[in-house]
Amino acid sequence: MSEQSTASQVAAVVQGHEVSEFGEFAPEARRGRVLAVTQVGEEVLHRRCADVGPELVGSAELAGLVDDMFRTMYAAEGVGLAANQVGVDLRLFVYDCPDDEGVRHVGHVVNPVLDERDLDVAVEVESEGCLSVPGPHADLGRAEHATVRGVDRDGQPVVVAGSGFFARCLQHESDHTVGKVYVDRLSKRERKRVLKRMEEMREQVLERRVERTEELVQELEGS
């Protein structure tokens, strides 16, 4: 039996596989463009997205979308982003997210399916936010562990599992692909509070995203 890997030995877990070296940004971001992020209330966020069909798998179109989504996620300073958050009606998300042990997880999942939660798995209540709800956060219960299954942009099987903060990310992004935003899981009173706070914070958040987009040009060219 081999020794377990530690955070210091693993630079990142990419597409579910440990790698010893990985850059500051996913390589896809260098090729991508920053797209506008949809906001809560826009129709594409509130219905189940279409499956990525076989005609798109392996295509330059799908690869380009993944590139754009990584670039957009970094510009918005997020750890995950679903396709409908850039206005594209497809079941797909990207992520670059640490777990509670500090291990970085990076990748994308096409047509993700979240495993049903084992009722014996604990639920953790932690603060959660969303790039499509710019600004506020709210406490929300999520399973401590999560596993998502799907394929990559070339159609190869992908299984991604995580715990803690990364498990929360997997559940949050999987929700997006079936038309659910995290505020939909809040009580009516808490949802109203969050949306009111969003209106107060939105302009400042969007201004910061413009600044970050400009900063990324220099950082990606220099990395």
Side-chain angles (χ1 to χ4, degrees):
M1 185 174 70
S2 62
E3 293 181 356
Q4 287 186 318
S5 299
T6 66
S8 61
Q9 296 169 321
V10 178
V13 179
V14 180
Q15 295 296 117
H17 301 286
E18 295 179 355
V19 299
S20 58
E21 296 183 0
F22 200 78
E24 182 179 359
F25 303 100
E28 291 90 341
R30 295 185 178 86
R31 303 187 294 264
R33 305 164 297 149
V34 174
L35 306 177
V37 176
T38 54
Q39 295 183 27
V40 63
E42 295 188 48
E43 193 267 344
V44 71
L45 287 173
H46 300 284
R47 55 178 165 80
R48 188 186 191 279
C49 294
D51 289 344
V52 176
E55 72 282 358
L56 281 177
V57 174
S59 69
E61 180 182 351
L62 184 60
L65 175 59
V66 171
D67 293 347
D68 292 346
M69 288 171 63
F70 268 106
R71 183 86 168 224
T72 303
M73 178 181 69
Y74 292 134
E77 299 179 300
V79 296
L81 186 75
N84 60 353
Q85 291 184 275
V86 291
V88 179
D89 181 18
L90 289 174
R91 296 186 56 241
L92 160 69
F93 67 80
V94 303
Y95 59 91
D96 186 342
C97 181
D99 61 26
D100 287 356
E101 282 68 51
V103 177
R104 180 183 177 193
H105 297 260
V106 185
H108 68 278
V109 185
V110 174
N111 294 335
V113 176
L114 179 69
D115 282 6
E116 290 190 18
R117 182 175 74 85
D118 185 337
L119 295 180
D120 293 329
V121 173
V123 171
E124 294 185 334
V125 178
E126 299 285 352
S127 179
E128 186 167 328
C130 179
L131 300 183
S132 292
V133 187
H137 289 67
D139 288 344
L140 182 64
R142 295 281 193 184
E144 185 178 3
H145 302 282
T147 300
V148 170
R149 305 172 192 273
V151 298
D152 68 13
R153 62 192 172 200
D154 296 316
Q156 297 302 308
V158 172
V159 179
V160 183
S163 60
F165 184 58
F166 182 49
R168 181 172 295 271
C169 175
L170 292 175
Q171 293 167 84
H172 180 111
E173 300 308 329
S174 295
D175 269 358
H176 274 304
T177 70
V178 294
K180 189 178 291 291
V181 183
Y182 90 98
V183 294
D184 297 332
R185 294 188 176 276
L186 303 176
S187 68
K188 290 183 178 180
R189 182 175 182 178
E190 182 67 355
R191 175 188 168 95
K192 183 177 179 180
R193 181 196 68 80
V194 168
L195 295 180
K196 180 179 179 181
R197 184 65 177 140
M198 181 191 76
E199 293 301 325
E200 298 168 350
M201 300 177 69
R202 175 164 39 197
E203 183 176 353
Q204 181 179 357
V205 171
L206 297 184
E207 287 177 355
R208 171 58 190 158
R209 290 181 186 175
V210 172
E211 294 174 358
R212 185 68 189 128
T213 296
E214 296 171 352
E215 293 169 355
L216 270 177
V217 173
Q218 300 300 320
E219 293 175 18
L220 288 168
E221 289 178 353
S223 61

